Structures are given as C-alpha cells and as structure tokens.
C-alpha cells in the first residue's frame, strides 16, 4: 500500500502543514461556486477530488514552490495573484471555468481525469483514488448548503438568541457565547465536549419545550441516528439517541415545530426524483416514527427552509429554487401534514445568493432574506403577509461580503429577528445588524473571536 496516499499534495510536496480534516466552509464555498457555474455531477466531483487531494479542502497559505490555497494554484502559472488565489471563491471559479470547458471537450473523462486536466499534477492517479472521500465531502456540502436557512439559538432561555460553534474536529467540542442584548459575551464557554463530530449535521431547536434551545446531530450514513443534547441553561447534557433511523445518506434534515405543540420536531427532505418530506415529531424525550408529510417538495438542488409563514404557530416548508428561475414555494402545515406547494414569489435569491428565514418585522410571520455576498453584499428582505411574500427590498447595503457566513436570530430580544455574520479567517469577528422592523441598521462588532475556520457556527 502507498503510505502517502492520504497525504495532501501540499504536504507531500512541500511539507506544508495541512490539516488532516477538511474545512466545512471551504467545501461549502466550492460547492456554491460550482453550482453558480452550472457544474454537472462529474465536474462537481472533479472539484472535490482536486480540493481534497491538493489541500484536504483547506485554504492553506503554503505549498510546493508558489502553490497556494485549496487547489494549490500558482501565480507563475497564471492562476492569479496570491491574494486572489487565497480567496476560495476566486480559486474555485478558476477551477470550474476550466473544468466545464474541458468536460465539454472530453466527455469520456472520469472525474479524476477531468481534475487532472485542470491541475496538471505530477500525481495524476491520485484524484480518482479519492473518489469515495470526495463524494462524502460533496454530500456534506450539499446538506450544509440546503439546511442553513435559520434556526432558534436561545440556549439560556432569556429571550435573546445566542451564538454557537461546533468544532466538528477530533475534539467535537461545542462553544456558546450568550447575548447580552448589545454584544455576545466576550469569553465563549464550552457547553459540550463531544457532540457532532465531523461528517454529522448539527442543528438547534427546543426539542423538550422548556424554552431553552437544545442541539441535535444527524449522523446520516447507514446508521442515520439522531442525537439530542438538551440545554440546562449553562451547558448541554449528555447526548442521547432520540431516533435510530432518520435522514440517511444524502438527505437534508431540518428542524421546526410542525405540529404547533411548543416542541421542535425534525424533518428530512429526500431530494432527487422522489422529493418526499418526512417528519418525526417530538415527544419531549424522543422523536416518533418518521411519517411522510409531503410527496414532492424541494427536488434536485433546490434550497429548502422552515418557518411559520402564516403565523398560526406551526412551522411550514419554504423552498428557494434559486438559479435562473429564483421562485419561492411554500407548503403550509396542517399539524399532521403539509398542504400542496404554492408559488409565493417569482424572483428571490437568484443564482447562489444565500437565502435565510426570520421574522424580521416582528409580526409573528416568517419573512425571507437573501444575502448577495460578493463585493456588493446587499441584504434583501421580502415580508410575509400570511399567504405570500411582498416585493423584495434592500434592508442593508453592505453586510456579509464574500467569504463570510450570515445567519439570523433575535439577538436583542425585541421580538424582531436580526442578522449576524461570522467573518472567520484570521479575524473570526462576529457582526450583528439589528432590525427596526423596516431595515437592518448598520453593523456592529459583537464578538472579536468566535467561529474559526473548520467550525460550524450558527
């Protein structure tokens, strides 16, 4: 056996310090850029094979000769300036532009051969060798891209949402920084020392109905277990298995109170051609059997989310088609199933803008937001009238630029959801822009070191 097979090229060729595991936000960025360039399944897989082989999907500032970044691109080979190459979105764009062209010219190539046609590596065989690993990372990126629409995060039950980060590494720690109403407490505290290790999908919700949000982890794969750790107000208890088969393989999990009983439940979107939606309701100490609540919702690569659109106390389904259609559909909850999907907006969150859900005007009905990212970094909001969403309007003209991760929550406890962004990288700052019911005001730093590279922060 090859002892170097699982070493990244950056490590193998240059003794570059490459982490053994991937950075989830790098994989998410690569995935979103691939979608933006209409990468087919093989081209997308080629991107993930290349990223894993070159850097273990990390944005490393080192490599062989002048190689840098996730794809180990070189300035002297015309890939861009060092600053450009270290921008994951830029690097991924350069990869996919070439890969899409090469795939058209060589349709018989495997994903690994396609990766090699772009990378021109001295180790061309390594890409196809890592197909299984790349597929696993791709499945995880798809789940991340489709599940992070927003979820409650008031872990101490004081009416103000807090922030949380899952390290998702070998330690699998969970840190929380509670909100004071004007900032997040400066010293984050470890609330759990083993929860949601790498490859699992972490989420938050009040599963026992005590007013304090808890954490949930979906293991996926063949076991497809679901673990919950309930909040004590100052920490999370031991992780307990609440379901032994839910959201397997590439399905997309979500959290919401679908029956309106005050306890959050879990849902899973099967995607693909069937596009079923299953729900397992919470008993307060476990989740019941998974039951099909909808037989066609959020097919393909559409972006599903959850929110109480009509304000009846039961969370509904929302899906953003994105791409060039950019439609928004809603399926209302009856308490035991979801009604047929209805188009409620015909142009929102196009391309790869990042959709989010929250009650931004405080009227008890879930609204939708879209973060454009990039250099413009606008934030658009469309308010719910109970049966649809009104016209989109800019609520903030510069928030969560390229490379940052935006989210939503009521951080000052005034009943209106606000927006937060995690800058990650070297600064790892956290900025919040508060809602006044008609716009998000500015953006102030609420924490100066939280949510590091490789972590999942909400």
């Amino acid at each position: 056996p090859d002892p170097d097979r699982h070493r990244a090229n950056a490590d193998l060729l240059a003794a570059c310090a490459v982490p053994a595991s991937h950075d989830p936000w790098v994989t998410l960025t690569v995935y979103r850029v691939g979608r933006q360039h209409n990468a087919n399944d093989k081209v997308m897989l080629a991107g993930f094979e290349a990223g894993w082989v070159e850097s273990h999907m990390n944005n490393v500032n080192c490599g062989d000769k002048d190689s840098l970044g996730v794809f180990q691109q070189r300035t002297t080979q015309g890939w861009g300036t060092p600053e450009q190459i270290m921008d994951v979105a830029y690097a991924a764009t350069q990869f996919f532009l070439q890969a899409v062209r090469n795939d058209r010219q060589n349709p018989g190539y495997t994903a690994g051969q396609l990766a090699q046609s772009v990378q021109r590596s001295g180790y061309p065989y390594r890409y196809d060798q890592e197909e299984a690993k790349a597929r696993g990372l791709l499945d995880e990126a798809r789940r991340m891209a489709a599940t992070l629409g927003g979820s409650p995060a008031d872990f101490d039950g004081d009416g103000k949402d807090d922030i949380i980060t899952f390290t998702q590494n070998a330690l699998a720690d969970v840190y929380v920084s509670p909100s004071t109403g004007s900032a997040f407490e400066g010293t984050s505290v470890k609330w759990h020392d083993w929860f949601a290790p790498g490859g699992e999908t972490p989420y938050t919700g009040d599963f026992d109905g005590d007013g304090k949000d808890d954490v949930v982890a979906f293991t996926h794969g063949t076991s497809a277990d679901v673990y919950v750790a309930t909040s004590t107000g100052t920490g999370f208890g031991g992780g307990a298995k609440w379901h032994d088969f839910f959201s397997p393989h590439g399905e997309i999990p979500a959290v919401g109170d679908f029956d309106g009983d005050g306890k959050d439940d879990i849902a899973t979107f099967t995607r693909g051609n069937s596009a079923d939606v299953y729900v397992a309701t919470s008993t307060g100490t476990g989740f019941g059997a998974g039951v099909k609540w909808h037989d066609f919702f959020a097919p393909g690569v559409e972006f599903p989310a959850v929110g109480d659109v009509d304000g009846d106390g039961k969370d509904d389904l929302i899906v953003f088609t994105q791409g060039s259609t950019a439609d928004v559909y809603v399926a209302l909850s009856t308490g035991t199933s979801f009604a047929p999907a209805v188009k409620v907006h015909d142009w929102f969150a196009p391309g790869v803008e990042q959709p989010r859900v929250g009650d931004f005007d405080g009227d008890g009905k879930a609204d939708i937001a879209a973060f454009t990212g990039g250099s413009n970094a606008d934030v658009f909001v469309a308010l719910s009238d109970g049966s649809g969403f009104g016209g989109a309007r800019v609520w903030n003209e510069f928030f969560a630029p390229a490379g940052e991760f935006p989210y939503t929550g009521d951080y000052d406890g005034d009943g209106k959801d606000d927006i937060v962004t995690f800058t990650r990288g070297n600064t790892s700052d956290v900025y919040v822009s508060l809602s006044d019911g008609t716009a998000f005001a500015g953006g102030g730093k609420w924490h100066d070191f939280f949510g590091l590279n490789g972590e999942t922060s909400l």
Side-chain angles (χ1 to χ4, degrees):
D2 179 1
D4 293 324
R5 174 175 171 181
H6 299 296
R7 292 174 62 192
N9 279 355
D11 178 24
L12 185 64
L13 296 173
C16 179
V18 177
S21 59
H22 66 290
D23 183 336
W25 300 112
V26 170
T27 62
L28 179 61
T29 301
V30 171
Y31 174 73
R32 293 182 66 84
V33 171
R35 279 193 56 197
Q36 185 175 18
H37 291 281
N38 298 312
N40 61 30
D41 290 345
K42 183 172 67 175
V43 172
M44 188 73 82
L45 179 60
F48 275 69
E49 288 183 1
W52 175 255
V53 167
E54 299 295 347
S55 67
H56 285 178
M57 276 291 194
N58 289 275
N59 195 28
V60 292
N61 191 22
C62 54
D64 181 41
K65 300 183 176 68
D66 58 338
S67 299
L68 294 170
V70 59
F71 293 105
Q72 288 291 281
Q73 294 159 335
R74 299 178 60 185
T75 295
T76 55
Q77 298 298 317
W79 286 104
T81 67
E83 292 76 18
Q84 288 175 321
I85 292 170
M86 288 299 294
D87 179 338
V88 176
Y90 172 90
T93 295
Q94 302 312 302
F95 178 90
F96 283 116
L97 286 174
Q98 186 65 52
V100 168
R101 286 195 295 267
N102 292 1
D103 182 51
R104 291 197 193 105
Q105 296 166 1
N106 304 279
Y109 274 5
T110 66
Q113 290 171 328
L114 188 58
Q116 169 63 11
S117 75
V118 177
Q119 297 297 106
R120 303 292 184 184
S121 170
Y123 301 91
Y125 56 87
R126 301 193 77 199
Y127 302 115
D128 274 328
Q129 283 183 338
E130 297 298 339
E131 178 181 348
K133 179 66 178 181
R135 286 191 182 279
L137 295 175
L138 181 52
D139 282 345
E140 179 185 304
R142 287 192 181 110
R143 289 195 298 268
M144 288 180 66
T147 58
L148 297 177
S151 65
D154 180 11
F155 304 113
D156 54 7
D158 67 350
K160 299 184 292 290
D161 279 323
D162 313 306
I163 52 175
I164 186 170
T165 192
F166 301 84
T167 65
Q168 297 217 271
N169 53 19
L171 297 177
D173 293 323
V174 183
Y175 290 86
V176 168
S177 183
S179 172
T180 67
S182 57
F184 298 116
E185 291 185 6
T187 303
S188 57
V189 177
K190 187 188 294 187
W191 277 42
H192 206 293
D193 60 6
W194 181 259
F195 196 82
E200 298 186 3
T201 299
Y203 231 140
T204 61
D206 183 8
F207 303 110
D208 57 3
D210 67 350
K212 299 185 291 290
D213 286 313
D214 315 305
V215 290
V216 62
F218 299 85
T219 66
H220 301 295
T222 55
S223 62
D225 294 322
V226 182
Y227 287 85
V228 168
T230 56
S231 173
T232 66
T234 56
F236 298 117
K241 188 188 294 188
W242 277 39
H243 205 293
D244 61 6
F245 194 79
F246 196 84
S247 196
H249 304 296
E251 296 187 7
I252 307 298
V255 169
D257 182 8
F258 303 114
D259 57 3
D261 68 350
K263 299 185 292 289
D264 277 324
D265 314 304
I266 53 174
T268 188
F269 300 85
T270 65
R271 316 273 274 178
N273 294 326
S274 62
D276 294 321
V277 183
Y278 288 83
V279 168
T281 56
S282 173
T283 65
T285 57
F287 297 117
V291 177
K292 188 189 292 188
W293 277 38
H294 205 291
D295 60 6
F296 195 79
F297 197 85
V301 295
E302 295 182 2
F303 186 113
V306 168
D308 185 6
V309 176
D310 58 359
D312 68 349
K314 299 185 291 289
D315 281 321
D316 312 304
L317 301 183
I318 306 168
V319 69
F320 303 85
T321 65
Q322 300 213 273
S324 58
T325 58
D327 294 322
V328 183
Y329 289 83
V330 166
L332 298 176
S333 173
T334 67
T336 56
S337 66
F338 297 113
V342 176
K343 186 192 291 190
V344 292
H345 207 292
D346 60 6
W347 185 257
F348 195 84
V352 291
E353 294 184 6
Q354 297 191 68
R356 298 290 185 266
V357 175
D359 180 9
F360 304 118
D361 59 359
D363 67 350
K365 298 186 288 289
D367 312 305
I368 52 177
F371 295 81
T372 66
S375 57
N376 291 330
D378 292 320
V379 184
F380 287 86
V381 168
L383 298 175
S384 172
D385 62 10
S387 59
F389 298 107
R393 190 171 59 81
V394 175
W395 275 41
N396 193 303
E397 294 181 341
F398 193 81
F399 195 83
E404 298 187 6
F405 178 75
Y407 212 59
T408 67
D410 182 9
Y411 302 111
D412 59 357
D414 68 350
K416 298 184 291 290
D417 280 329
D418 315 302
I419 53 176
V420 65
T421 187
F422 300 87
T423 66
R424 307 180 69 251
N426 294 328
T427 59
S428 294
D429 294 323
V430 182
Y431 287 84
V432 168
S433 182
L434 298 175
S435 172
D436 65 8
T438 60
F440 298 120
K445 187 189 293 188
W446 278 40
H447 204 292
D448 62 5
F449 196 74
F450 192 90
L452 311 184
N453 287 345
E455 299 180 356
T456 297
S457 307
L458 307 173

